[in-house]
Structures are given as structure tokens and as C-alpha cells.
Amino acid sequence: MNVVIQLERVTRTYALGATTVQALRGVSLQIRSGEFVAILGASGSGKSTLMNLIGCLDRPTAGHYFLDGVDVAKLDHDQLADIRNEKIGFVFQSFNLLTRTSALQNVELPALYSSSRISASLRRNRAREALELVGLAGRAHHHPNQLSGGEQQRVAIARAIANQPSVLLADEPTGNLDSRTSAEIMTVFQSLNQRGITIVMVTHELDIARFAKRNVFMRDGLVRKDELVAAPLDSRAELARWNQAEQTEPQLVLTP
Amino acid sequence: MTALNASRIALHALGRNKLRSALTALGIIIGVGSLIALLAIGHGARAEVEKQVASLGENVIQVSAGSITKSAAKLGLGSSGALTVEDAEALKEEIPDAIAVSPEVKIKTQVVAGNRNWSTEIYGNSPEYFRIRQWATSAGEIFTEQDVRGATKVAVIGQMAADQLFDEDEDPIGELIRIRGVPFKVVGVLAVKGASASGSDQDDSIIIPHTTAIRHLIGKQTGLRRIYVQAASLDVLPTVEKKVGELLRQRHHIETGSDDDFKVRSQLEIAESATATARTMTVLLSLIAGVSLVVGGIGIMNIMLVSVTERTREIGIRMAIGAHRRDIMRQFLIEAVTLSALGGVIGIACGTGAAKMLATLAQWPTLISPDAVLIAFVFSAVVGIFFGYYPARKASRLDPIEALRYE
């Protein structure tokens, strides 16, 4: 499998007044096509900074970052925007959908900003397909405020994959969701991953990370541990277990 | 991103805050509306003045007798008596492009017809006067060259004089009127001409042959009041004007350097000075309207800045998804220009309505020129670009990471 993301001794320092903060102190990381990686770490470990770098929202202070073989550090604002548009799909903790805009229009957004002219009909079709993939075909014309949290996150995932990116980047995708909905989102991720989409997910929840195939642990701006998950959890099996538990639970509640 | 899609996004955003958009556009509506209305008033006033100047005739040059100083008192134009009938004849003969010349004398006196009387202006002219001033009769005829040669006692009277001296059902033609006791036969009534550029009522006048006026009413020692000259065309008007001056200086033996005892003014110059006031007024009024348009523009800038702050997160999302800086810039610029251009269009409609209302209610002459409409529209759009630029630039320069984190 070819390498999609290649980080070489990447550092990132922020100037905070007189002091400088070293968020990343030389991270080297290689992610191949088709992987499902969870990046774990406490807040302040540098995982969000790493995420922004991988997402081409930011550039490294030193070191190299190759995305699909292209050195991102040398690119200007517009080129970075094009890379974000074509090669990266973002999923955020707070969904970040445009309010008062239908699910379908939200998913159409990446095609709207594509540098290659995409016709309106093709744009619409792609958006519909993406919504179908996340199981929301019937909710295309709902607005975010008419959707549940899990549904909103699925719209966000559909938007992230609408332009068929090389990498799906998820920043705490289940942070605002309950455990059951989190498992549902993981189902979506795992099925997309089976279709060959590379997924990099930042989380601080260990049980969410166990759905991924590989876990990268960050601390103090460095990668401390990088291991393959021996037996990733199957989200479908987990959901089935949840359902069973729910069926028995009410009886437990009713009997004093 | 295509311009069409950018416009769609911008319109969508404006539609979300209808009241706010409307109030913001109101600033421009008022600015453009007052600009249109005030320009209409200014242009209307100017057109009115131009009409009055045009009533002077076509390609007219006025030669007025100069002023003289008597016992240290400077008397007004026409007092010198330096212009003579011979001067007028010489002008006609020696300047080929002077196609019509009329000497003029004037007295103000009481006129009697039957048991009515009226004080009016009596002008002594040649028949060419009517041609120069393009003044036709509404009844009867004008007097002829023969009447001038024979100093016949005939009169062509203005409509106002006719109204004052004769009953409505009476036909003035052929009737006798007495001017300073001298009987004149009315041969024609002039068509209505209205006010002159100086504001006097041109219809309140009686015109008789200048020879008759000099022989029977004034006396030979009094000089002419002025000489009217008509140039063959607008192109030769300045040359004729120059030649008139030269010829008269030569005839009056005035050396170069000394003051003329006459004054030559062409219709162009009269028009120039008459419209100057109207023009100044128009400029002042549009300046005031321009100020309100700028204030409207500041309103747009203010709201756009608020909008950028409010939508920081949206901007972050769009950037994360791959919007270029210029896409964001364009989106907000289009919003600003849409507000101002829409305000401009509504303002043009309101201003036109206001001008029409002034014209009907206050009887003010107003004129809405397509130029003014175009200028107002372009100006409002430019205001949108100018005041929308800074907020749009601010939006496009946001850091996507910061913007996404914005609460």
C-alpha cells in the first residue's frame, strides 16, 4: 500500500507573547492508504496541532510533511485550500454544518469550491451518493436543526467524503455524542474504511480508539507509542450488544 | 467557485437577515433617492432657464449701448446713445454672416384703447426682429419693411397687452390704440412667449417700427437701446460677434486700449451666465446627497463587519472545506454590493417618485435625466465595493483554525 501521509521530524511552535510554546517537538509518522488510525492523547499533548497540520490548515515550523508525495510546507494559501478541498475531508467534534442550509446543500459545498468545474447536476448526484453512504438519503432536505446529533455528524461525514478525498480527518468525532450514537458513527467509519477510505481520527476516549486498526499515543508533543490494535472492535457487533442490553434494561428498571 | 454560485450564497445570507438587510439598504436608498430628486430639481431649474434663453431667438447677438458717466454718476447700459440706426445698417451690410439685424429703441408709457388704458413697454424694431427672436403672430401680421421706410403708425401687440387693452370677444386687429396720444393701428397680436432670461414678461409689450418710434415718440437725439444681430449659424456666431465688435469700434473711432461705448453679448454668453446659478445649485445639492450616500456606505460597512464577526465560524468551515481567500472575499463583497445596488435601484425609484411629486404638488420644474440615474446607480455600486472591501478582506484573512474554534 502506498504512503498517503508522511511526517518527518515535524515541529510546530507558537509564539505566545514573549514565550514560545512547542506544541510538536519532532513528530515522525507514516500512514498508508486504507489505514484507520486513532491518535490519542490528553489535552495539551499536541494531537490537535498534529491534526491541523495533517489537515493542511497549518504548516509545520520545521520538518517535512508529504501528503500524497507533495511537500505541503512549500505551498501557499490557495494551494493549501485546493489540497483541503480535493484530498482531505474534515469531520469536527461540533459537526460544523452550515445552519439554515439543507443537508444536501451542506454536502454539495466541497464541490462548490472545487477548482475543477463540477456541473450542478454532477454536484447534486455526488452529494446524494455521499448521503446514501452514511444512510441519510431520506433526510437530504432537512436542515441541521431538524436532525439529531448523530444525524448531523453523519451529514458532516457525507460532506467530508463528497469530493472523494485521500484522507478523512476526524477531530473528536464522538465528543458531543452519547455512547450508542458514537458506536453508530464508528459503524459509518468502519464501513467507509472497508471501502478503502483512509481515516485519521483524533480522540481522547480509549474505547472509541479501539474501533480503529492502529493507535498512536501522543504526549508532550511527541509520539510515545504507535501500535496496531490486535483485534479492533466491530461496531456492528457492539451495536447489537447495545440493543440486547436495551431490551433487558427496562425490566431491570421496572423491578424495584 | 463561479460568480453565479458566489452570488447565490451571498443572496442566501442576505435573505436570512431580511430586516437587517433592509435597514442597511435604507441608508443607500435615502442617499440615492435624495441624489436623484435633487439632481432632478437642479436639472429642471436649468432646463427652465435654458428654455428662457432659447426664447431669445436663434444665434442671437445683442449689442447694447454702453454706459456714460454724467456728473460722476454712472448711468446704466444703453445710456450713452452711441448706437445709431446707421450702425445697425452698417452691420447688416458689411458682415455677410449677419443675416438679420434689428435696431431697438424702447420707452415705457401709458397706452389707451377705447376706455381702457395700460402701462407697457413700447419697442421700436425692424421687421427682422420677429425673425431673429423667432416670434410669430397668433393673429394678424407683423409690420413690413415698407412700414419702416414710411414710418407708418402700426403696432404689433403682445398677448398680455392685448388682454389688458381689449375685451376677450373683441378682435384687436384693425383697432386703434393711442401711445402718448399718437394713434396706432393694431396689425398683429404676438404668440405667447413667457418670461425672458432676466425674468420680465415678454408678452407685456408693444412693437412698432423703429422709425415711427423715433419720429413720433422719442426724437432723433436719443440713441438706440440695443441692436439685435442674428448669425447665420451657431458655428459662425463667435466670428460674427467678433466682427460686430471690430466694426463698431472702427465706426465709433475707439482706439485699442480704450473702453468701448457698447457691449456685445452672444446668446451663448447669456446662456452661460443664466445657467451658472442653476449649475451651482445642482452641484451643492448633489454634494449634500453624496454625503448621505457616504453615510449609507458606512452603514453597510458597519453591518458587514458585524456579519463577518458573527459568521467567523462559517468562514472557518468554508475555508476548511477548500474555499480560497478570494472566494470568501467575493462572497462578502457581493453581499455588500448587492445591498448597495439594491438600495440604489429602490432609491432611484423613490427619488423619481419624489421628484414627480414635487413637480405636481409644488409646481417645481423637475427633470430626471438618464445620466443622473446611471450615475446614481454606478455610484451606489461603487459605495458598496468601497465600503464592503475592508470587511470582506478581513473575512478572507481569517485564520481557518482560529475561525473554526470561534464560539
Side-chain angles (χ1 to χ4, degrees):
Chain A
M1 282 291 201
N2 56 321
V3 177
V4 181
I5 292 166
Q6 170 109 28
L7 293 160
E8 288 174 4
R9 294 181 308 282
V10 165
T11 63
R12 181 70 175 95
T13 51
Y14 295 102
L16 275 181
T19 58
T20 53
V21 177
Q22 272 206 306
L24 295 179
R25 298 163 184 268
V27 172
S28 295
L29 189 66
Q30 205 180 53
I31 295 171
R32 290 171 182 280
S33 178
E35 280 197 271
F36 182 2
V37 182
I39 297 174
L40 286 130
S43 62
S45 61
K47 62 184 195 302
S48 285
T49 306
L50 184 64
M51 194 73 182
N52 289 337
L53 279 173
I54 294 174
C56 293
L57 288 167
D58 199 1
R59 277 177 295 196
T61 309
H64 293 284
Y65 167 31
F66 298 94
L67 177 66
D68 272 349
V70 179
D71 191 350
V72 167
K74 296 194 178 86
L75 302 180
D76 65 15
H77 284 280
D78 283 353
Q79 288 166 318
L80 284 177
D82 284 337
I83 285 201
R84 289 199 295 270
N85 184 257
E86 289 159 18
K87 300 197 169 172
I88 291 161
F90 284 98
V91 176
F92 304 95
Q93 178 175 359
S94 50
F95 322 136
N96 277 340
L97 296 175
L98 293 188
T99 52
R100 295 200 226 185
T101 307
S102 73
L104 189 65
Q105 281 173 320
N106 263 294
V107 179
E108 278 183 43
L109 218 50
L112 219 50
Y113 287 111
S114 170
S115 55
S116 49
R117 287 278 165 90
I118 296 170
S119 73
S121 57
L122 180 61
R123 199 169 71 215
R124 187 132 300 187
N125 285 341
R126 278 196 193 171
R128 282 189 197 285
E129 278 168 28
L131 277 175
E132 244 166 70
L133 272 179
V134 299
L136 279 182
R139 302 245 161 188
H141 297 289
H142 285 64
H143 284 204
N145 56 2
Q146 299 166 316
L147 298 171
S148 71
E151 286 172 327
Q152 287 188 51
Q153 194 59 301
R154 266 144 68 190
V155 173
I157 295 168
R159 182 179 67 189
I161 59 172
N163 266 10
Q164 287 136 3
S166 315
V167 187
L168 179 65
L169 277 184
D171 189 2
E172 302 273 10
T174 58
N176 285 8
L177 301 173
D178 59 40
S179 321
R180 193 199 153 87
T181 319
S182 299
E184 280 171 9
I185 294 300
M186 286 307 114
T187 316
V188 176
F189 275 12
Q190 285 186 334
S191 73
L192 289 175
N193 186 238
Q194 271 158 22
R195 289 171 157 268
I197 296 176
T198 314
I199 299 175
V200 178
M201 172 175 75
V202 164
T203 183
H204 63 271
E205 296 168 87
L206 266 171
D207 42 346
I208 289 297
R210 282 170 60 212
F211 290 101
K213 293 177 187 164
R214 177 181 164 193
N215 285 354
V216 174
F217 292 86
M218 300 272 305
R219 208 172 70 208
D220 301 331
L222 285 170
V223 174
R224 295 292 176 179
K225 201 162 82 177
D226 186 348
E227 60 181 22
L228 290 177
V229 179
L233 285 179
D234 180 8
S235 56
R236 283 175 216 282
E238 286 300 299
L239 271 177
R241 224 158 46 79
W242 276 90
N243 286 341
Q244 243 173 8
E246 249 170 38
Q247 274 164 6
T248 50
E249 232 166 83
Q251 291 171 340
L252 289 173
V253 173
L254 280 173
T255 41
Chain B
M1 165 171 268
T2 62
L4 183 71
N5 285 329
S7 314
R8 211 172 277 159
I9 290 173
L11 289 180
H12 188 75
L14 289 179
R16 258 188 272 174
N17 277 308
K18 287 197 183 65
L19 181 62
R20 187 201 275 186
S21 304
L23 286 174
T24 312
L26 194 60
I28 298 292
I29 292 173
I30 291 171
V32 170
S34 48
L35 187 69
I36 289 285
L38 294 176
L39 277 179
I41 292 168
H43 284 154
R46 204 166 139 191
E48 191 73 4
V49 172
E50 272 165 3
K51 207 169 83 194
Q52 287 166 354
V53 172
S55 79
L56 196 61
E58 205 176 357
N59 307 325
V60 179
I61 296 166
Q62 278 185 355
V63 185
S64 308
S67 64
I68 50 161
T69 309
K70 223 178 212 171
S71 322
K74 259 197 143 184
L75 302 177
L77 279 179
S79 56
S80 73
L83 291 179
T84 61
V85 177
E86 289 73 34
D87 283 338
E89 280 162 4
L91 289 176
K92 177 89 196 253
E93 268 160 38
E94 293 185 34
I95 304 171
D97 280 334
I99 52 171
V101 175
S102 172
E104 182 177 272
V105 291
K106 178 186 145 184
I107 49 169
K108 189 172 174 67
T109 188
Q110 211 71 15
V111 181
V112 182
N115 57 357
R116 293 166 168 243
N117 71 89
W118 178 246
S119 170
T120 185
E121 316 269 350
I122 315 292
Y123 293 94
N125 284 93
S126 77
E128 287 181 356
Y129 174 75
F130 301 99
R131 176 179 158 194
I132 295 168
R133 304 225 34 210
Q134 301 193 303
W135 207 351
T137 53
S138 62
E141 298 294 327
I142 59 169
F143 52 79
T144 62
E145 202 58 48
Q146 218 159 353
D147 291 323
V148 171
R149 275 199 296 276
T152 322
K153 290 171 211 159
V154 288
V156 176
I157 62 176
Q159 188 60 52
M160 178 74 170
D163 289 346
Q164 294 297 331
L165 293 169
F166 297 97
D167 282 335
E168 247 177 76
D169 53 353
E170 219 176 338
D171 184 12
I173 310 296
E175 296 295 318
L176 279 186
I177 55 172
R178 288 177 177 276
I179 306 171
R180 279 190 182 168
V182 183
F184 282 78
K185 197 174 98 179
V186 176
V187 292
V189 178
L190 289 166
V192 174
K193 205 166 178 77
S196 73
S198 57
S200 64
D201 185 358
Q202 301 178 89
D203 296 320
D204 188 9
S205 62
I206 291 174
I207 295 147
I208 58 175
H210 61 91
T211 46
T212 319
I214 291 168
R215 190 175 303 168
H216 296 286
L217 300 177
I218 302 169
K220 193 146 179 97
Q221 67 284 0
T222 316
L224 296 178
R225 175 179 181 252
R226 61 168 63 128
I227 300 171
Y228 280 103
V229 180
Q230 186 176 35
S233 69
L234 190 62
D235 295 337
V236 298
L237 189 62
T239 11
V240 172
E241 188 187 354
K242 207 171 124 228
K243 280 185 187 160
V244 166
E246 283 165 3
L247 186 64
L248 288 177
R249 255 194 299 280
Q250 189 193 326
R251 285 179 58 83
H252 294 186
H253 310 291
I254 297 165
E255 288 160 28
T256 32
S258 24
D259 290 343
D260 293 344
D261 55 0
F262 59 89
K263 191 166 167 24
V264 185
R265 288 210 305 167
S266 77
Q267 200 171 4
L268 285 178
E269 290 156 350
I270 296 168
E272 195 83 0
S273 62
T275 52
T277 324
R279 201 164 37 224
T280 312
M281 191 173 83
T282 311
V283 169
L284 277 178
L285 291 178
S286 357
L287 268 181
I288 295 166
V291 167
S292 62
L293 199 51
V294 168
V295 173
I298 293 170
I300 288 189
M301 186 155 168
N302 191 14
I303 282 303
M304 290 311 293
L305 282 174
V306 171
S307 180
V308 168
T309 311
E310 274 181 358
R311 283 149 70 189
T312 299
R313 209 180 169 99
E314 176 197 324
I315 295 163
I317 297 168
R318 289 184 187 278
M319 282 178 158
I321 282 169
H324 287 190
R325 283 178 166 181
R326 62 167 178 275
D327 291 329
I328 302 294
M329 176 116 181
R330 190 154 61 176
Q331 178 188 339
F332 281 90
L333 258 188
I334 289 175
E335 269 184 45
V337 173
T338 306
L339 277 179
S340 67
L342 203 68
V345 169
I346 299 173
I348 287 168
C350 290
T352 311
K356 288 256 158 68
M357 217 158 75
L358 275 176
T360 5
L361 295 184
Q363 304 289 323
W364 284 9
T366 60
L367 183 77
I368 290 151
S369 63
D371 285 3
V373 171
L374 190 72
I375 289 170
F377 181 74
V378 169
F379 203 52
S380 63
V382 167
V383 161
I385 294 171
F386 185 81
F387 288 101
Y389 181 79
Y390 175 70
R393 192 186 138 86
K394 199 179 157 194
S396 72
R397 295 287 147 150
L398 286 175
D399 174 22
I401 299 170
E402 299 280 326
L404 279 169
R405 224 179 271 154
Y406 188 85
E407 290 299 330

